[in-house]
Amino acid sequence: MTHGIEWLNVYGGVAAIRAKAIFDGRGLDTERFGNVMMDARSVALPFEDPVTNAANAARPILDRTGTDRIELLITATESGLDHSKSVASHVHRALGLPASCRMLEVKQACYGATAALHLAIGHLAARADPEARALVIATDVAVVGAEGAYAEPATGSGAVAMLVGPDGGVLAVDPGAYGLHSFETLDSARPHPDRDLVDVDQSLVAYLSCATASFADYRNRVAGADLETTFDHLVWHTPFAGMAKAAHRALMRDQARASTAAIEADFARRVEASLRYPGLIGNLFSGSVYAALASLVDTARPAREARVGIFSYGSGCASEFFSGLIGPRSAARLAELRIGDQLDARVDLDFDQYLALLPAARSCLVPQKDKDIDVEGHLGLARAAAAGRPLLALTGVRDYRRTYEWIN
Amino acid sequence: MINETLVFETLRDTTLEVVPELTAEQFRADECLADLGCNSIDRADIITMAMDRLGVVVPIGEVHSGLKVRDLVGLFAKHS
């Protein structure tokens, strides 16, 4: 048995809008639509926030496994609700986790969940208790509007939950096989709770440079590693699907000196299956690379053991290339959670409906002493999409205390 | 320090390779890559490929959106 991800679930909301509807509604250049490679993005309802997303991603897993032996809860987010109190503490209560569970929130932009995954594996390996488990949840919300231009149709809200343990049935993480590359820069940030700051050129160049450098570090640690032959599949941090294609092209050019036609064929064979869910949800920040992993497993449905190379990048910036094994067990576990069906069941909003929801979504992280939430007004929509699934809802804020309730 | 003419020619040739619809005449020092029709991925490709070809490592913190071709040439030359 190898430590890794035992269960993996993606929560991509209960409402979505087609990327094309935002392109049309905002008057964006439709010639760039192909470059972004997005079909849709999730849209948060007024009773959704990073806590509800996290709990709604984790609940289907815990309904199967129970919560008794979860000894560590880490929420990874760049959508924090407080400078002191963690998102994890709200999630701990909502999910009924044991009082004997360590809990904390981590932040390193879109790399946070990968850092948390590796720290959780290290923690469990040191514990040497075969029953102990860790729950790592990447959870975020979009606060972008028209000023974000092409980022608006590509940025989503939601969460990815990973149950981490000694039997990595979804992803058995290769021990000691990783490469890192980190340095300080300001390519993107969230300096206010309702404002993203992005230097697009710096961020994309940083991402591509980190992909090359992280893989070089991986190769230094893993004897004989070869980008073309070691990995059956490659999964990239996917802020928008077109970025994964660019990263694959850059690394193949750097490592394999491959022709354009050979790179295209390799992309279709080893990468394309990972882009379905990211292309339906939008950028899930630190969850995006794991939404891509879920997409790969659900789409490729591996019939035999297969090695996946995974690249995680977070602005600011930190990055890691690591690897692991997926196989028939991964496909069976993810099939149980019916992630694709639930994404397809989301309510399809038109542009006017999206605009009506946008102010609440953009301000959901802004501290307010008191706040009323119209849960009832959106229940019909949520219930239609949730199809019987329990959903956690934010019911209000009183004297800065957020209250939550399971609905449905 | 690499000659600025070589940097300009490398950036130009790389840009024409990434965006074949452009002509050499359109690639001028006072233009931004975005204004030439290069999308964000094209621009990242052009900058990383030119760094590789020239053997120059430009600190990422000095790469910004909206730089003109002459600014990029200056950056590459400065860090060569």
Side-chain angles (χ1 to χ4, degrees), chain A residues 28-109:
Chain A
L28 297 175
D29 180 359
T30 49
E31 278 190 22
R32 297 205 178 179
F33 190 67
N35 171 46
V36 177
M37 291 175 71
M38 299 295 300
D39 291 324
R41 54 154 283 192
S42 58
V43 179
L45 298 183
F47 59 76
E48 295 192 298
D49 73 1
V51 173
T52 65
N53 287 340
N56 290 329
R59 174 80 184 259
I61 295 175
L62 302 183
D63 283 348
R64 287 167 170 77
T65 64
T67 57
D68 293 357
R69 294 311 312 271
I70 293 177
E71 298 192 358
L72 174 66
L73 167 66
I74 308 178
T75 53
T77 186
E78 52 196 286
S79 308
L81 295 169
D82 188 281
H83 289 295
S84 171
K85 183 172 173 56
S86 69
V87 166
S89 62
H90 290 289
V91 174
H92 182 277
R93 173 196 277 262
L95 294 174
L97 298 185
S100 57
C101 172
R102 279 192 176 92
M103 62 181 186
L104 69 152
E105 174 179 314
V106 301
K107 171 171 63 188
Q108 181 39 61

Side-chain angles (χ1 to χ4, degrees), chain A residues 135 141 212 216 232 258 281:
Chain A
L135 182 60
V141 295
T212 305
D232 300 289
I281 302 169

Side-chain angles (χ1 to χ4, degrees), chain A residues 223-237:
Chain A
D226 180 276
L227 186 73
E228 278 186 291
T229 58
T230 301
F231 311 103
D232 300 289
H233 302 281
L234 292 164
V235 170
W236 305 92
H237 167 52

